[in-house]
Amino acid sequence: MENNEIKKEEETFSMPRIGDKAPSFTAKTTQGEINFPEQYKGKWVILFSHPADFTPVCTSEFMTFVKMEDKFKEVNCDLIGLSVDGLYSHIAWLRTIKEKIEYKDMKGMEVKFPLIDDVSMKVANKFGMIQPGESTTSAVRAVFFIDPKGIIRAIIYYPLSTGRNFDEIYRALVAMQTADEFGVATPADWRPGDDVIVPPAGSCGVAKDRMDGKDADKCYDWFFCTKKLGEDEVNKAIKK
Ligand code: BEZ
């Protein structure tokens, strides 16, 4: 057994980790069958699970994701939702959201990204979205950030009771894309336009050399140097 697998009552659940290849799957969705990752090569994907259709926290989350979908598309990122409900439940719930729910400034929100029917829990189990300490019958609120090469780059888990922060999901995605494009790291709470860290995390000890070579604009100490990176430059590199 791989050491990232959990054996529980004779069933094996996979727990993919950051840096792993995302498990492949085909699935029925509200937008037809999808074949992952083949269909998504060259794109970032946010694969996220929710516990159940027709529940309030999940409804607020879906409406928020719809509101932000164009922002994700603009940075070459597709969204895929999943719960262990069936297709007819998904369709009825999404129709209710569009036709009936008015929440905050959101109304008539139409979910156009695919929502996976995972009644068998096949996909949820491959991604470690069923976490029995929280629930054995529904997925936790998981968010997988998968890069254009199909590698899992970040994972966030929330419990059933807590709605996710979609600004943070978008911010983290843009930070990863910026790190890839410019070979830098991003400090706490970074947003495009803020200074970035050189050299990137993991290459300790040579930061100050960068200062001497004019690669850095400011050093707080020998291990902590930053440089300016304009918002326009970031946007030009990541917006497709
Ligand atoms: C909700 O989305 O509101 C929810 C779902 C499962 C458990 C608790 C809350």
Side-chain angles (χ1 to χ4, degrees):
M1 196 165 62
E2 301 258 331
N3 60 3
N4 59 337
E5 290 178 346
I6 299 168
K7 207 162 166 49
K8 191 171 190 301
E9 290 165 7
E10 294 314 307
E11 271 185 282
T12 301
F13 300 91
S14 159
M15 290 293 289
R17 296 173 296 197
I18 292 176
D20 290 350
K21 212 161 181 38
S24 56
F25 62 85
T26 54
K28 233 176 1 175
T29 83
T30 49
Q31 302 292 324
E33 176 132 331
I34 60 170
N35 184 0
F36 180 90
E38 273 66 31
Q39 225 173 297
Y40 292 88
K41 278 203 175 115
K43 288 182 170 187
W44 283 80
V45 171
I46 290 186
L47 171 65
F48 68 102
S49 55
H50 69 278
D53 297 346
F54 291 102
T55 51
V57 178
C58 303
T59 299
S60 69
E61 290 190 318
F62 264 67
M63 294 178 81
T64 308
F65 241 152
V66 172
K67 184 173 155 184
M68 293 180 69
E69 190 180 2
D70 286 347
K71 278 182 80 167
F72 283 92
K73 278 232 171 302
E74 202 179 31
V75 293
N76 190 34
C77 181
D78 281 3
L79 308 176
I80 307 175
L82 175 149
S83 79
V84 302
D85 300 291
L87 198 56
Y88 295 114
S89 166
H90 285 342
I91 291 168
W93 178 47
L94 299 187
R95 187 183 299 147
T96 304
I97 290 176
K98 183 177 171 210
E99 293 177 359
K100 293 201 183 146
I101 310 288
E102 198 173 333
Y103 173 66
K104 292 190 170 170
D105 58 341
M106 298 175 282
K107 183 182 176 186
M109 306 310 272
E110 184 175 356
V111 175
K112 295 188 185 136
F113 54 82
L115 174 50
I116 295 172
D117 163 343
D118 196 32
V119 173
S120 68
M121 299 190 181
K122 184 186 81 179
V123 182
N125 278 326
K126 277 189 171 195
F127 278 84
M129 292 165 169
I130 307 294
Q131 304 198 356
E134 181 72 347
S135 171
T136 51
T137 54
S138 60
V140 294
R141 299 182 198 281
V143 186
F144 285 80
F145 297 74
I146 301 163
D147 76 11
K149 292 186 176 139
I151 302 298
I152 297 171
R153 298 289 297 276
I155 308 171
I156 309 177
Y157 295 117
Y158 279 63
L160 305 189
S161 59
T162 307
R164 286 161 278 204
N165 182 320
F166 291 85
D167 286 332
E168 168 56 11
I169 293 170
Y170 179 76
R171 189 200 71 84
L173 172 71
V174 167
M176 284 177 246
Q177 294 180 334
T178 301
D180 287 358
E181 290 284 343
F182 296 95
V184 296
T186 54
D189 298 331
W190 176 88
R191 297 207 172 256
D194 293 346
D195 292 355
V196 294
I197 291 175
V198 287
S203 37
C204 264
V206 290
K208 204 136 192 175
D209 296 344
R210 292 292 181 95
M211 181 79 166
D212 302 336
K214 301 271 184 282
D215 280 347
D217 295 316
K218 180 166 182 160
C219 284
Y220 297 86
D221 205 332
W222 60 269
F223 62 93
F224 184 3
C225 293
T226 60
K227 70 172 184 180
K228 295 190 189 319
L229 181 59
E231 187 173 354
D232 288 350
E233 216 180 325
V234 171
N235 286 338
K236 210 167 129 199
I238 66 172
K239 293 195 174 169
K240 308 290 172 197

